[in-house]
Amino acid sequence: MTSRSLAGIHPALRDDIADLVTRRPVPGPGLDQVDPFLFLNHHGPQTYPPGNNGLPFGPHPHRGFETVTFILEGNLAHYDSGGHESVIEAGGVQWMTAGSGLIHAEVSPPAFKQAGGGLEILQLWVNLPAALKMTAPRYTGVQADAIPAIPVADGQGTLNLIAGTFAGVTGPIPSLTGVFMSTLRLSAGARIDLPAPQGRSVFLYVVSGHPTVGGADVAAWHLATMAADGDHVALAVPQDAGEDAVLLFGHADPIGEPVVAHGPFVMNTREEIGEAIRDYQAGKFNGTGPLPAVGQ
């Protein structure tokens, strides 16, 4: 095996949404995307007081890509115009294929707004190729106990497998485009080589801690981009680290098509963006109508 070289380190820039602490490493200066990974928002960590307004993501449309939401702390209610609804607790994941069009909301459940508490969430946008942009929408919500927790690094770490296969285990969410996705926790002294097949784009974001990636230090709230010169990624946590390192790690085949984004729509051409706007305004998105009352 050959270790991939570190190509760059990109900070997550602060861009709060109302009272929600938000950092975004991609898109950012010098980094439009990590094809097919388009966008990552890191919300929190923060503590909400009792009687809060919760998350501000009321009903809004999407078309042409997938949203993957990781609930690291707290909980999250989802509902959409396709009739899907759930409340996912800490450690769980929501994977929504917007495809031809959905209206969805991701909000705090009533109990959270009443009592308050800690909250930390990641949301990743994964592009779809032109042939799948108008695929039928779908949604999968998975609680923590349905996500395999695989011991790694000689017991000094855990890989939570969301999509794809690792060590003979398959994650609970099937990806339309063969995306591998996981979260990873490594304790002090841990070392691991993670498979990253040649030809695939690696997505590696440090949520917390201070690991080394390809031998280089990468601090929390930074995204590491990797060169295409190997077939695995070498990670380690210094022996004297004062905290665990938590990372988002995935890889996928690049799409290599034009990306035209306009707000909540991601297509291949300006004409398709115009069509998406007109279809949304005409009420043509899947199941458009009164949404379920989950989380309100």
Short mmCIF file of all heavy atoms in Angstrom, two decimals, residues 188 264 287:
data_model
loop_
_atom_site.label_atom_id
_atom_site.label_comp_id
_atom_site.label_asym_id
_atom_site.label_seq_id
_atom_site.Cartn_x
_atom_site.Cartn_y
_atom_site.Cartn_z
N ALA A 188 -5.62 8.91 22.07
CA ALA A 188 -4.20 9.24 22.07
C ALA A 188 -3.37 8.00 21.77
O ALA A 188 -3.61 6.92 22.33
CB ALA A 188 -3.81 9.83 23.42
N PRO A 264 -30.73 26.23 -3.14
CA PRO A 264 -30.94 24.82 -2.78
C PRO A 264 -30.97 23.86 -3.96
O PRO A 264 -31.33 22.69 -3.80
CB PRO A 264 -32.31 24.86 -2.11
CG PRO A 264 -33.04 25.93 -2.87
CD PRO A 264 -32.00 26.97 -3.19
N GLY A 287 -44.75 15.11 -3.94
CA GLY A 287 -45.67 15.13 -2.82
C GLY A 287 -45.94 16.51 -2.25
O GLY A 287 -46.39 16.62 -1.11
#
